[in-house]
Amino acid sequence: MIADTEIARAFESTWPAADYADVGGFRVGRGAGGGSRVSSARALAPGWDADAIAEVAEIQRRWNEPAMFRVAEADAALQEALAARGFRHGRPTVVMAADCAALAAEPLPRLSTFDIWSPLAVQREIWAVGNVGPGRQAAMARVRQPKTALLGRVQDRAAGAAFVAVDGPVAMIHAIEVVPALRRLGVAGWLLRRAAQWGQEQGAARLALAVTRANTGARALYDRLGFAELEGYGYWTRDD
């Protein structure tokens, strides 16, 4: 789905599904509450079989999960095949990446960020408020690559949390959440810079993330920090 093979590998491995099934050129994820990314099916190669779309949906039904595909914006053929079978496009999302060295070059305020594994209760509480509940936290626990949980602090208070993991030269950051009352104080930017520093320590050269196109505030921050858009995708769903 993502043309950049290093980013594509890290995108999948740093937020894995509970189970997978392969059918007709598609890989189907069982998310078990881990969010749309791991509860969707994606094409493994251009040679997918349109007749397998119904089988994918049946697997998802058996798993008690919605019929859902994750489709690259450039994949017009799969979009057309899904539309013909009653699927609708939603939640356009973009993958972005930045150079770890550039992000890590600016010093962080003292005691502003920490990397901790396993996550502290306060990090889990911050995630829970931001709808990163037990299912999504279980996805973090399943990651086999080097990983850590980030804690951001401001005004002597726990203010933000994020999860980052590394696969080869790419660090992926997920679940960036800042306490609502402590937003616009720089915490999200500190978490991203700390992720880049930690990623460098693990041998990563790039920090990548996914953000919905509708999240203009986050995208503006990522633009300011030097993140560049790589490509986009969306979720195609159907009421079954």
Side-chain angles (χ1 to χ4, degrees), residues 127-151:
W127 279 325
V129 171
N131 199 34
V132 183
R136 286 177 166 85
Q137 293 179 37
M140 303 176 194
R142 287 193 293 268
V143 174
R144 297 180 179 180
Q145 285 72 21
K147 61 187 176 185
T148 195
L150 304 180
L151 174 67

Side-chain angles (χ1 to χ4, degrees), residues 39-108:
S39 296
S40 53
R42 60 186 174 91
L44 294 175
W48 46 266
D49 180 2
D51 291 336
I53 291 174
E55 189 172 351
V56 168
E58 175 59 20
I59 291 170
Q60 293 170 322
R61 187 195 64 78
R62 291 200 303 267
W63 284 343
N64 198 30
E65 299 200 339
M68 182 186 305
F69 285 74
R70 175 161 38 100
V71 185
E73 288 180 345
D75 192 346
L78 182 51
Q79 292 172 26
E80 292 173 5
L82 290 168
R85 290 161 174 80
F87 285 81
R88 300 181 303 277
H89 177 243
R91 208 157 4 116
T93 303
V94 61
V95 179
M96 307 182 77
D99 181 72
C100 282
L103 279 170
E106 182 176 322
L108 289 166

Side-chain angles (χ1 to χ4, degrees), residues 4 16 53 202 218 226:
D4 185 312
I53 291 174
Q202 314 305 313

Side-chain angles (χ1 to χ4, degrees), residues 111-144:
L111 302 179
S112 62
T113 57
F114 303 86
D115 55 88
I116 305 160
W117 191 265
S118 298
L120 301 176
V122 68
Q123 291 167 290
R124 296 189 184 279
E125 291 167 5
I126 291 169
W127 279 325
V129 171
N131 199 34
V132 183
R136 286 177 166 85
Q137 293 179 37
M140 303 176 194
R142 287 193 293 268
V143 174
R144 297 180 179 180

